[in-house]
Amino acid sequence: MSDSSFYVTTPIYYPNGKPHMGHAYTSVLCDVLVRYHRLIGEDTYLLTGVDENASKIGEAAEAAGKSVAEFTDGQAEVFKAFYQGLGVGLNRFVRTTDTDTHWKAATEMWERLEKAGAIYKGTYAGLYCTGCESYKTDKELDDKGNCPDHGRPPTTISEENYFFKLSAYADEIKEHIKSGTFRIEPESRRNEILAVIESGLEDVSFSRPKEVVPHAIPVPNDPSHVMYVWCDALVSYISGLGFGTDDTTVFDRFWPAQYHVIGKDILRFHTAIWPGMLLAAGIPLPKAVFVHGMIISDGAKMSKTIGNVLDPQDFVNEFGTDALRYYLSRHISPVQDSDMTRASFVESYNANLANGIGNLTSRIMKMIDNYNINIEDMTFPSVHEVLDGDDVSEYHAAFRDNRVDKAADVVWGLMSFMDNYIQETKPFTTIKEDPEQATEDLLFLVERLYEVAILLRPFMPETAAKIEAAIEDGKALETALFQRTE
Ligand code: MSP
């Protein structure tokens, strides 16, 4: 047990379309981590939100025939409902259109950067990809001159911009990464960004002309410019805690963050630009950035043209919240790209949920009920005792590395031990010849089942609660936890 705080952030997502499986993955991963850390007694805080001041949001609003405000209000509700459908428990949902909190914080950040001499005016002539909301160089494009992530050419722009003097902070950022005061996990991503820094960090454009993105945050004292969307978006990690407002109690309690969890596509923003901004502003760096891989489907990036897009909402509607949480936690590697298809989902659903945890719980509870075994007076180990158990050490070790997939394997390992135990001891037969032995075996099994439920809490909170309630009632389940499907 620990009394430390555990503050985790997801990226704030662009709400120009429906939430997709990538958004679902990062959000579930963060929620599982937070639920685990809460289970072991830490003071947790989960922040997410939407990145609304991007030029692509203006374009999406226009395409929908709505004002930016109307469009983003609607999309914010869509994203909130999405989190609910995933069982993700949020402490804070940041909207970057919130002028009372977020705009104040972003303005405070800008002023600090300016005061530190880290902002200057210049001209940017080059390429910009609205899909990435990022400036591009020729060598970042494919052989057709397209952005490799968006399959279309960036626009050529020539603008007067304010620049952030990132180059001046390169050595300091590198030092923090090398000494481990700013950790980047896994190791391969740490090496990747160190190589980028060593090849030379250039200053970055930090503003756009107001007429290009009229709804974005104005640059202090220069209404003809607005903040570049990443300068604004990264600040959400502290604006959501009250930085820049009159009440900074939450900020003081939770900053620096334990982890910013991100996909590998936005590594440079989080491990070069963001630490550079914080160093210039005199704000402590987050302790770590955890970088996960991408979900691909049928060997390819999900795309409407290929037709391999998997909609998280369809999975929740068809199989339930916990089933999707299970799949994302156990079958998507937090450190590598992973393939997901409906077929692989259904196969695992049947094997590990319907025939796995569902069947195991039904069998045990049915025997307890049928054989009138009284478990009401049984004393179960406390949550604390379960977590201190010898067989749980690998579970904790996996969580120390954010390997939620491996932690889930430990729980399913315990279930296969229980399945074997039933096969070997056959309480359904011995109940006639040796009822005392059968009772003892079933009490042992129900205690293990209780342990499984506790360990499942971070991954499948609804299922864990149902198992715990069934054990409390000591009765057979009225409906199966998961129904087999084709
Ligand atoms: N708005 C920026 C982030 C600003 S954070 C200060 C952004 N938004 S996004 O909507 O494009 O979401 C990006 C994040 O979604 C990725 O970093 C990753 O976390 C997640 N994913 C997007 N596609 C994904 C997959 N196919 N697979 C897994 N996660 C991916 O970038």
Side-chain angles (χ1 to χ4, degrees), residues 226-288:
V226 292
M227 293 183 202
Y228 167 47
V229 69
W230 275 95
C231 157
D232 144 7
L234 289 159
V235 173
S236 66
Y237 298 145
I238 54 177
S239 74
L241 302 181
F243 171 83
T245 67
D246 295 336
D247 185 1
T248 58
T249 31
V250 180
F251 177 76
D252 297 337
R253 184 160 129 217
F254 288 106
W255 189 260
Q258 203 77 29
Y259 279 108
H260 292 314
V261 176
I262 60 165
K264 66 177 185 182
D265 50 333
I266 51 178
L267 178 70
R268 201 172 50 91
F269 295 102
H270 284 80
T271 56
I273 298 179
W274 180 226
M277 290 166 69
L278 291 167
L279 287 169
I283 301 169
L285 300 191
K287 291 186 187 140

Side-chain angles (χ1 to χ4, degrees), residues 466-483:
K466 280 188 199 160
I467 300 173
E468 288 174 49
I471 294 174
E472 244 162 59
D473 289 351
K475 296 264 175 293
L477 293 175
E478 276 169 22
T479 42
L481 293 175
F482 298 97
Q483 303 281 356

Side-chain angles (χ1 to χ4, degrees), residues 4-20:
S4 55
S5 72
F6 190 81
Y7 170 39
V8 175
T9 64
T10 77
I12 56 164
Y13 305 118
Y14 292 126
N16 52 323
K18 279 205 290 192
H20 57 61

